[in-house]
Amino acid sequence: MEPKFSENVKTLRKKQGITQEQLAEAMGVTVGAVYKWEQNLSTPDIRIIMELAHFFGVSVDALVGYEVLDGTAEAYAKRIEELRQKKDYAAAVREAEQAIVRHPNSFQIAYNCGELYMVKGIESPASNNEDDMERAVAFFRKAELLLSQNNNPEINAFSIETEIALCRIAQGKKEEAMEILKRNNVNGVHNARIGRLYAMDEEYPIEKAVPFLTEALLNGISTQIDIMMGYLNYYERKGDTESELEVSRWILQYLKSLRPDEGVSYLDKIIAPFYSEQARLLDVLGRQKEAEKAMQEAFQVANQYDAAPSCRSDSVRFCISDSKTLYDDIGSTAMFAVEEQMEREQFSDALCSIWERLKTEA
């Protein structure tokens, strides 16, 4: 409940057009007493509160202004979430303690309490987070038992197990965390964390980190390309060619940063069509000289790659393992990938002529 007595007295007094002195005289108190009520410095006894309510023509409940909060599990869960996002952990914990007593078998309450104590523990000094993390794990375990109540498709047993693993990592319980992560490593989603745990702790042979880090890096590159391609498509549909160009430049810089300084990289096969895409966008923007230069870059990269193609993972910077063969769906050669893109995106005649000239001169 949230008291609003001081605000209500002031509002009602002004609404009736009377001064603090007049109200004090009507209630038989000093002007200073009325001032303190309105500044929330003091509260009168119940007798005067009843007289004030009668004077203003309102109920005592309305005058005192207590707001009775919704006590449903959904309302509690929402308040806990809102307070957690505001990082008001003290208030969130108070809500959580009340909620779990009133709704001991609610999935929403158990899960939101787990989230609260996990985040609170992460943001606390390492020496003080043990109790928070243990409480978080206990709430997450309870939430797993109540999953049949869950209607949020983003939360499932897999996601809860992941959060439990994060709690154990924060506690320094690496063995338990590793076991959970490996058990739930669907499509290699936990490779990065597992590889990092192996790499950072001297109790493990460093070689154990290699396959996990390699897989994580390669999956990360693929995911990043998908994300930025999504942005390219978004800006294309919005008709924002300048932003499309910025995205294509970002992708190129990202991919180029992951190829070795010398030799041919598998990434060159992907870099070439991004250069030609940049050429197309520059051409649309009327920057023909820059567009021609980008087409030349596309041709040079594609031609060099096709002369000595490499599908080995060690042709990507930081990929320590060379045991993986890399695959894509952009065509058998880099030149084919660019030309298919040119046809699909309907490159201008000028750009197509530049491409044909470069092929003839090669």
Side-chain angles (χ1 to χ4, degrees):
M1 295 187 295
E2 183 181 350
K4 296 182 179 179
F5 173 77
S6 60
E7 295 176 26
N8 290 342
V9 169
K10 187 175 183 179
T11 299
L12 290 166
R13 176 180 63 76
K14 289 186 173 182
K15 187 176 182 180
Q16 294 197 7
I18 61 175
T19 65
Q20 288 185 341
E21 289 81 0
Q22 290 172 320
L23 180 58
E25 184 178 351
M27 292 297 106
V29 299
T30 66
V31 176
V34 174
Y35 172 80
K36 288 182 178 180
W37 299 344
E38 293 188 359
Q39 296 300 312
N40 199 25
L41 298 175
S42 70
T43 305
D45 61 34
I46 187 63
R47 179 185 63 80
I48 293 180
I49 288 175
M50 292 175 69
E51 289 182 11
L52 281 166
H54 179 72
F55 179 81
F56 288 127
V58 298
S59 68
V60 171
D61 284 347
L63 177 64
V64 174
Y66 274 101
E67 179 185 354
V68 180
L69 298 176
D70 189 342
T72 63
E74 291 78 10
Y76 266 116
K78 183 178 179 181
R79 289 198 294 274
I80 293 168
E81 171 78 4
E82 289 173 349
L83 289 167
R84 177 178 68 79
Q85 290 183 352
K86 293 177 182 177
K87 299 192 177 185
D88 188 350
Y89 298 130
V93 166
R94 287 195 297 272
E95 287 286 337
E97 289 173 349
Q98 292 180 20
I100 203 65
V101 171
R102 294 189 62 177
H103 303 282
N105 296 309
S106 164
F107 169 82
Q108 280 185 295
I109 296 299
Y111 182 79
N112 281 30
C113 286
E115 289 270 289
L116 166 63
Y117 281 103
M118 180 180 74
V119 174
K120 180 174 179 287
I122 288 172
E123 295 213 335
S124 299
S127 57
N128 299 330
N129 70 7
E130 183 69 23
D131 289 344
D132 287 332
M133 288 304 179
E134 283 300 326
R135 294 207 70 185
V137 170
F139 279 122
F140 283 138
R141 291 295 185 206
K142 185 166 189 174
E144 286 182 314
L145 298 175
L146 301 169
L147 259 173
S148 60
Q149 300 175 22
N150 175 45
N151 56 14
N152 184 343
E154 295 184 5
I155 303 172
N156 51 40
F158 168 80
S159 67
I160 294 175
E161 283 290 303
T162 299
E163 292 184 288
I164 292 172
L166 294 178
C167 291
R168 293 313 191 201
I169 291 172
Q171 290 176 292
K173 298 181 178 181
K174 295 184 289 293
E175 285 291 343
E176 184 179 349
M178 192 85 80
E179 181 182 339
I180 295 171
L181 292 173
K182 286 184 175 180
R183 189 170 64 240
N184 294 277
N185 196 22
V186 180
N187 290 329
V189 69
H190 293 316
N191 281 335
R193 287 196 179 100
I194 295 171
R196 184 184 176 193
L197 286 173
Y198 274 137
M200 69 188 293
D201 201 318
E202 292 187 1
E203 71 181 77
Y204 300 117
I206 190 62
E207 289 75 18
K208 280 184 171 288
V210 172
F212 292 102
L213 292 176
T214 297
E215 288 280 358
L217 177 60
L218 295 172
N219 288 339
I221 294 170
S222 177
T223 298
Q224 194 62 64
I225 292 173
D226 281 343
I227 293 169
M228 302 314 287
M229 285 297 296
Y231 276 109
L232 275 175
N233 298 145
Y234 170 82
Y235 287 121
E236 181 179 19
R237 291 182 63 183
K238 296 281 285 186
D240 187 347
T241 308
E242 286 284 1
S243 293
E244 275 190 89
L245 181 61
E246 287 302 308
V247 172
S248 72
R249 282 176 170 164
W250 189 94
I251 297 174
L252 272 172
Q253 287 299 114
Y254 173 68
L255 293 174
K256 287 164 67 177
S257 73
L258 289 167
R259 69 176 310 286
D261 294 331
E262 298 179 358
V264 172
S265 170
Y266 170 76
L267 294 176
D268 292 337
K269 186 179 179 185
I270 305 169
I271 288 171
F274 273 112
Y275 265 125
S276 55
E277 173 66 7
Q278 192 169 107
R280 182 185 72 81
L281 296 169
L282 288 165
D283 187 49
V284 170
L285 291 168
R287 294 155 64 175
Q288 274 71 37
K289 287 186 178 180
E290 293 176 77
E292 181 172 357
K293 183 177 179 182
M295 284 301 285
Q296 290 171 346
E297 292 279 9
F299 180 83
Q300 182 179 355
V301 172
N303 196 41
Q304 288 180 348
Y305 177 82
D306 289 347
S310 174
C311 295
R312 290 162 54 99
S313 58
D314 63 351
S315 70
V316 177
R317 192 190 294 269
F318 308 124
C319 278
I320 308 163
S321 171
D322 64 352
S323 60
K324 288 189 66 63
T325 299
L326 305 180
Y327 302 91
D328 60 69
D329 60 356
I330 62 175
S332 56
T333 67
M335 295 287 280
F336 176 85
V338 172
E339 290 175 349
E340 185 182 61
Q341 178 196 40
M342 292 172 64
E343 182 177 350
R344 183 177 64 251
E345 299 287 347
Q346 297 182 340
F347 277 37
S348 69
D349 291 343
L351 289 183
C352 291
S353 295
I354 292 170
W355 183 259
E356 290 303 321
R357 173 172 57 79
L358 291 169
K359 287 174 64 176
T360 302
E361 293 174 353

